[in-house]
Amino acid sequence: MAALETTGGKAADGRTARQFMTEFFTSFTREITADDGDPGPVVDRYYTPDAVQTADGIRIDRERLVAHIRPVRKNLSEFAFEVHEAVREGRRIAARFTIHATDRRGRRTATEVHLFGELAPDGRMRRTHQLSRTVGPPETDANGTRGNGTRGKEASEEGDGS
């Protein structure tokens, strides 16, 4: 991951906070779902060894994150991250985004996440606090299964505002 230092509202590499968050989660998810190998090296490219996520009050360290990836790999068939807004100040970052996901049975979910985080100097996540909620009206998929509405893959490609 490239360092994310603030220079005039953009990262040193020219990305806005919104672009960074979209690319971070999209590329991380793409890499962890690409194969069935050890997810540890992928986690290490995106998160520091001492990283801690607190998601809806549950503390997740590196080992728990790696363990969480295994069922995600088995069940996730499509995903998109729609970053609604993101801001940063130095190594601190905050974002509100929606995760659109479809599982292997065709069930769709949309989860809104409010994230406050701290980045390491190299741009990896060191610490996050996240609150999430399921959003969207129930929708029936091709199999007649009810799930939560999504907007699809194009959601990650919308806009580049900060």
Side-chain angles (χ1 to χ4, degrees):
M1 296 295 328
L4 182 69
E5 293 300 322
T6 302
T7 55
K10 292 193 174 196
D13 64 6
R15 292 179 295 169
T16 65
R18 186 173 176 188
Q19 289 168 326
F20 173 83
M21 293 301 288
T22 300
E23 292 167 13
F24 181 93
F25 287 111
T26 300
S27 62
F28 175 70
T29 305
R30 187 177 299 120
E31 286 189 44
I32 63 167
T33 58
D35 63 48
D36 290 332
D38 178 11
V42 175
V43 170
D44 293 340
R45 280 195 295 279
Y46 289 84
Y47 292 87
T48 61
D50 62 341
V52 174
Q53 295 186 88
T54 304
D56 297 324
I58 299 170
R59 186 178 189 278
I60 303 170
D61 60 13
R62 181 192 179 279
E63 289 73 30
R64 285 185 78 178
L65 180 58
V66 169
H68 171 71
I69 290 170
R70 290 182 180 95
V72 169
R73 281 181 166 172
K74 280 199 269 185
N75 296 314
L76 187 66
S77 72
E78 293 182 19
F79 65 90
F81 292 88
E82 180 181 10
V83 180
H84 307 290
E85 53 192 329
V87 295
R88 77 174 153 266
E89 179 68 32
R91 293 188 194 154
R92 296 186 184 275
I93 193 153
R96 182 177 64 85
F97 57 93
T98 302
I99 304 167
H100 301 278
T102 304
D103 70 15
R104 297 214 184 274
R105 291 190 269 173
R107 291 181 301 195
R108 299 176 181 164
T109 60
T111 305
E112 184 177 56
V113 179
H114 299 253
L115 177 146
F116 296 90
E118 176 189 354
L119 300 167
D122 63 4
R124 293 183 295 165
M125 285 288 179
R126 172 171 283 146
R127 176 184 54 84
T128 65
H129 291 274
Q130 302 173 40
L131 295 174
S132 64
R133 68 184 182 111
T134 302
V135 295
E139 173 180 294
T140 303
D141 65 17
N143 299 320
T145 306
R146 297 199 47 98
N148 292 311
T150 66
R151 295 188 50 218
K153 292 180 183 177
E154 71 279 2
S156 288
E157 299 169 3
E158 288 184 358
D160 64 346
S162 52

